[in-house]
């Protein structure tokens, strides 16, 4: 489990307009590039100072590459990060206001408390 | 010493700006009622004639991140840029610039540290909608200097609910001990029951109207004893997975004081979450 790294992907993509579009159009390529080039970047530090040990699990990589927000919820990704980024990715494809958010909730409706642990 | 001119607690709803400024077909049916309630609430701050605003809120993974997460942080900067690209994108919030009050920030930091709160600080803080929403609703001129106070209600492990109350009490004492003749309003925003990114999100009401009813009663009556007996870090998941934002209301109850009855209370049942607005006048109120 590397919830922290999943969250770091969601966080760093969500705050960058170009990455949001790249992830929408080419999710598998974006996740592979990001894990190779960006996962070890220590935010706020010079690029040469990198973390050496951060790696997604297969399940996390598959969930991110598949735009699978249900799996991300179940893996314990921070739900605010997931929701915010996925609204940016897909709300535009729905005609009615909040339609994407309602579908998102419906796809999670098999979940009861306690939800997956989001502590990192 | 400084005067606490008003203590204000409210929810912060990032959709208010867009709802209140939209027109024609884009204007939601609840906008007029919402605007009327906000304008009445705004008067409670205007009447207090504040010079400085202490603004309690919570960064939503904008500047504060999991590689270096403070539990409580006080901004100490002459200027705060505000709102982020993803808030512009999702909520239509405008970019803003707010002036800081470094003198009061310094006083809160020094006094808070000496009182046993290991406060983090930031000399370059871009603030987000937890602070700008109440600026938009309560002081849209955005013309007063601020002291931002950020709390972690977002990234576990979180401080205990009672710690928020203790910090609120300390902030009240620190403002009252600030050697200044200025009038300070202490404003904080949090949430009632709220779900984000879970199966109960964006329903016709908040996810737990019964929790909301109890919470509004606790806040309006200043019933800290019942509020602290009624919530724990574990239990706050039950009304909705983002309900730990209620701890910012607890902090503001600490500012207002034990059993301090709010001088102004209002609420609005909206889709997604209940809005709630509270004002206390510690010095007896503008007409006293």
């Amino acid at each position: 489990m590397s919830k922290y790294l999943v969250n770091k992907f969601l966080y760093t993509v969500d705050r960058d307009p170009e990455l949001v579009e790249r992830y929408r159009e080419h999710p598998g390529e974006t996740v592979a590039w990001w894990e190779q080039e960006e996962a070890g970047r220590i935010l706020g530090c010079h690029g040469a100072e990198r973390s050496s040990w951060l790696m997604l699990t297969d399940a996390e990589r598959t969930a991110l590459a598949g735009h699978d927000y249900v799996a991300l919820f179940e893996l314990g990704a921070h739900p605010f990060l997931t929701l915010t980024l996925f609204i940016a990715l897909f709300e535009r494809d729905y005609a009615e206001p909040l339609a994407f958010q309602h579908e998102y909730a419906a796809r999670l409706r098999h979940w009861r408390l306690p939800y997956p642990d989001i502590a990192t | 010493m400084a005067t606490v001119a008003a203590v204000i607690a409210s929810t912060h709803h990032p959709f208010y700006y867009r709802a209140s400024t939209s027109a024609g077909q884009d204007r939601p049916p609840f906008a007029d009622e919402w605007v009327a309630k906000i304008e009445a609430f705004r008067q409670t701050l205007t009447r207090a004639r504040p010079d400085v605003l202490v603004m309690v809120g919570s960064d939503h993974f904008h500047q504060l991140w999991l590689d270096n997460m403070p539990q409580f942080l006080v901004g100490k900067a002459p200027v705060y840029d505000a709102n982020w690209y993803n808030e512009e994108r999702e909520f239509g919030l405008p970019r803003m610039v707010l002036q800081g009050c470094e003198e009061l920030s310094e006083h809160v930091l020094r006094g808070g540290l000496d009182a046993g709160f290991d406060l983090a600080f930031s000399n370059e803080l871009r603030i987000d909608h937890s602070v700008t929403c109440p600026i938009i609703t309560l002081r849209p001129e955005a013309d007063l200097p601020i002291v931002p106070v950020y709390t972690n209600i977002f990234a576990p492990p979180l401080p205990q609910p009672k710690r928020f109350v203790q910090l609120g009490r300390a902030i009240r004492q620190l403002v009252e001990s600030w050697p200044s003749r200025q009038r300070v309003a202490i404003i904080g925003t949090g949430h009632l029951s709220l779900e984000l990114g879970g199966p109960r999100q964006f329903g016709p009401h908040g996810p737990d109207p019964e929790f909301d009813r109890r919470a509004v009663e606790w806040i309006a009556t200043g019933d800290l004893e019942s509020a602290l007996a009624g919530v724990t870090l574990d239990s706050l998941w039950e009304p909705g997975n983002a309900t730990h934002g209620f701890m910012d209301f607890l902090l503001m109850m600490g500012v207002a004081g034990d059993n301090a009855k709010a001088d102004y209370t209002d609420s609005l049942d909206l889709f997604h979450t209940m809005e709630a607005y509270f004002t206390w006048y510690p010095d007896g109120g503008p007409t006293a």
Side-chain angles (χ1 to χ4, degrees):
Chain A
M1 291 258 288
S2 36
K3 277 188 280 185
Y4 168 71
L5 194 59
V6 173
N7 287 339
K8 187 176 180 181
F9 177 89
L10 300 169
Y11 172 74
T12 54
V13 172
D14 179 63
R15 61 206 283 110
D16 183 326
E18 291 180 12
L19 279 182
V20 169
E21 295 308 309
R22 181 172 168 183
Y23 180 48
R24 173 183 158 93
E25 298 302 325
H26 307 288
E29 178 273 333
T30 305
V31 172
W33 163 81
W34 188 90
E35 190 174 6
Q36 179 71 32
E37 302 294 333
E38 298 296 309
R41 184 187 297 278
I42 303 174
L43 306 179
C45 292
H46 185 274
E49 312 294 355
R50 295 177 61 83
S51 297
S52 60
W53 50 276
L54 288 164
M55 186 184 294
L56 296 167
T57 66
D58 288 344
E60 292 164 344
R61 196 177 296 116
T62 301
L64 288 172
H67 285 157
D68 188 346
Y69 55 82
V70 174
L72 291 170
F73 179 88
E74 292 171 351
L75 289 164
H78 197 292
F80 182 88
L81 288 170
T82 312
L83 175 66
T84 302
L85 176 57
F86 277 73
I87 286 174
L89 295 172
F90 297 121
E91 187 182 36
R92 70 185 86 168
D93 298 331
Y94 293 72
E96 292 296 316
L98 299 179
F100 173 67
Q101 289 87 333
H102 290 147
E103 181 178 297
Y104 192 123
R107 288 189 57 199
L108 288 166
R109 72 180 160 216
H110 56 287
W111 270 98
R112 298 287 181 271
L113 296 169
Y115 296 165
D117 181 16
I118 65 166
T120 49
Chain B
M1 295 299 164
T3 298
V4 177
V7 177
I8 295 185
S10 87
T11 43
H12 67 250
H13 203 313
F15 291 116
Y16 176 76
Y17 180 78
R18 183 177 275 160
S20 64
T21 56
S22 58
Q25 284 192 329
D26 292 336
R27 191 170 177 86
F30 49 81
D32 289 348
E33 182 187 10
W34 199 1
V35 169
K37 283 182 177 281
I38 288 295
E39 289 182 347
F41 186 38
R42 182 180 305 154
Q43 285 303 312
T44 70
L45 177 65
T46 307
R47 284 200 297 269
R49 296 179 292 106
D51 302 308
V52 181
L53 308 177
V54 173
M55 303 295 300
V56 178
S58 299
D59 180 83
H60 297 68
F61 285 140
H62 284 120
Q63 185 162 336
L64 307 183
W65 175 239
L66 298 171
D67 62 353
N68 192 4
M69 179 59 75
Q71 300 295 358
F72 298 110
L73 177 144
V74 178
K76 180 181 176 295
V79 179
Y80 301 94
D81 292 297
N83 290 337
W84 296 70
Y85 144 70
N86 63 0
E87 297 172 307
E88 202 171 32
R89 181 188 74 203
E90 185 174 350
F91 310 127
L93 289 175
R95 301 292 175 114
M96 300 169 73
V97 180
L98 301 165
Q99 300 302 304
C101 179
E102 285 196 275
E103 190 187 332
L104 181 54
S105 290
E106 183 178 352
H107 178 76
V108 169
L109 279 164
R110 183 69 265 159
L113 289 164
D114 293 347
F117 295 90
D118 297 329
L119 301 170
F121 66 92
S122 173
N123 294 143
E124 184 182 7
L125 188 64
R126 185 178 190 97
I127 57 179
D128 81 1
H129 73 267
S130 67
V131 169
T132 59
C133 286
I135 293 291
I136 287 166
T137 54
L138 291 163
R139 191 75 181 189
E141 305 91 329
D143 59 343
L144 297 178
I146 69 165
V147 173
V149 178
Y150 268 156
T151 68
N152 177 18
I153 50 90
F154 208 60
L158 308 178
Q160 292 288 347
K162 68 182 178 188
R163 193 62 171 160
F164 285 75
V165 175
Q166 291 165 350
L167 182 60
R169 289 174 178 143
I171 289 172
R172 169 76 175 267
Q173 291 168 358
L174 289 164
V175 170
E176 289 177 336
S177 68
W178 183 33
S180 164
R181 298 180 63 81
Q182 300 202 63
R183 296 173 61 79
V184 181
I186 306 172
I187 299 170
T189 67
H191 295 296
L192 300 177
S193 71
L194 181 64
E195 176 114 333
L196 294 170
R200 296 174 288 173
Q201 70 179 5
F202 291 98
H205 309 281
D208 190 341
E210 173 55 24
F211 176 84
D212 295 344
R213 189 195 61 73
R214 273 184 289 136
V216 167
E217 179 71 14
W218 290 333
I219 302 165
T221 59
D223 188 357
L224 271 166
E225 186 178 350
S226 296
L228 283 175
V231 301
T232 67
L233 287 175
D234 285 338
S235 78
L236 280 169
W237 296 110
E238 295 165 10
N241 69 349
T243 310
H244 291 86
F246 178 67
M247 294 195 292
D248 280 336
F249 273 116
L250 292 176
L251 189 156
M252 295 311 301
M253 292 171 72
V255 175
D258 286 76
N259 300 308
K261 190 174 184 307
D263 294 291
Y264 180 90
T265 298
D266 199 8
S267 62
L268 175 63
D269 193 15
L270 275 182
F271 76 94
H272 176 43
T273 184
M274 176 180 265
E275 286 277 276
Y277 313 120
F278 307 89
T279 301
W280 294 260
Y281 293 119
D283 63 351
T287 57

